[in-house]
Amino acid sequence: NPDAFFYLAEVCFIMNESKKAMMNYNKTIELDSKNPKAYKGRGKLKAKFDDYMGSIEDFSKAIEIDKTYSDAYFNRALSHLNLKDYKSAIADFSEVVRMSPKDYQALSQRGTAKFQSGDKKGACSDWSKAGELGYFKIYDTIKKNCK
């Protein structure tokens, strides 16, 4: 039963039993290669160990299976951000914002990617929108960078 392996993988991930989590994500995918959540989970596990290229492959597979899987776009964007591929990170965060306009985390992270890429005005705009949506911690970032 692929669902049983998937939920076991999720529990192992939460419990920091990475080896068991990886084995169970792999087994889930072996039994059900069209399970986008298994690819996303394995991608998050790979990212946890700084295998950002591997995580991007898994997140991309999850998106290929389900084009509306905003969490896979978000996590792929984080991996792109860690690789300093700001253009790809911005594109993925933008897709999340398109699907969920009130996702303050995606706005905040897109702002960070824009700032890192040299788009200070765009970054400050995204951070301000994130603040308006209730992400008040972002105002420290705005004070520091948006004068």
Side-chain angles (χ1 to χ4, degrees):
N1 183 338
D3 290 339
F5 285 104
F6 172 73
Y7 290 116
L8 185 56
E10 293 283 278
V11 169
C12 291
F13 186 94
I14 292 166
M15 302 288 290
N16 269 333
E17 295 180 9
S18 301
K19 185 176 179 181
K20 289 180 183 178
M22 185 64 79
M23 288 174 25
N24 285 294
Y25 284 129
N26 288 339
K27 188 66 174 177
T28 303
I29 291 166
E30 177 187 319
L31 295 172
D32 179 10
S33 64
K34 298 293 184 191
N35 184 329
K37 291 181 180 181
Y39 286 102
K40 189 214 57 165
R42 189 172 73 177
K44 284 183 73 170
L45 187 56
K46 288 178 180 180
K48 180 179 176 181
F49 292 102
D50 299 335
D51 178 7
Y52 299 116
M53 294 302 293
S55 71
I56 288 169
E57 288 176 18
D58 279 345
F59 297 136
S60 296
K61 184 66 176 174
I63 292 165
E64 179 185 314
I65 295 166
D66 181 357
K67 303 253 186 284
T68 65
Y69 196 6
S70 64
D71 201 30
Y73 282 100
F74 183 86
N75 282 284
R76 186 172 72 176
L78 290 176
S79 289
H80 284 303
L81 193 56
N82 278 298
L83 292 172
K84 298 181 177 24
D85 180 358
Y86 304 120
K87 182 178 178 181
S88 296
I90 291 166
D92 280 346
F93 286 130
S94 294
E95 189 61 24
V96 176
V97 171
R98 184 190 67 74
M99 289 187 264
S100 304
K102 294 184 179 183
D103 188 327
Y104 63 82
Q105 290 180 316
L107 281 163
S108 171
Q109 291 292 343
R110 185 175 73 179
T112 299
K114 286 180 178 180
F115 189 81
Q116 294 296 325
S117 72
D119 180 7
K120 181 178 175 180
K121 183 178 178 183
C124 294
S125 176
D126 279 352
W127 290 334
S128 180
K129 288 176 192 167
E132 290 168 14
L133 292 170
Y135 188 51
F136 299 119
K137 290 188 336 184
I138 201 64
Y139 286 112
D140 290 335
T141 302
I142 291 171
K143 284 179 194 174
K144 182 179 174 184
N145 297 297
C146 300
K147 297 177 182 170

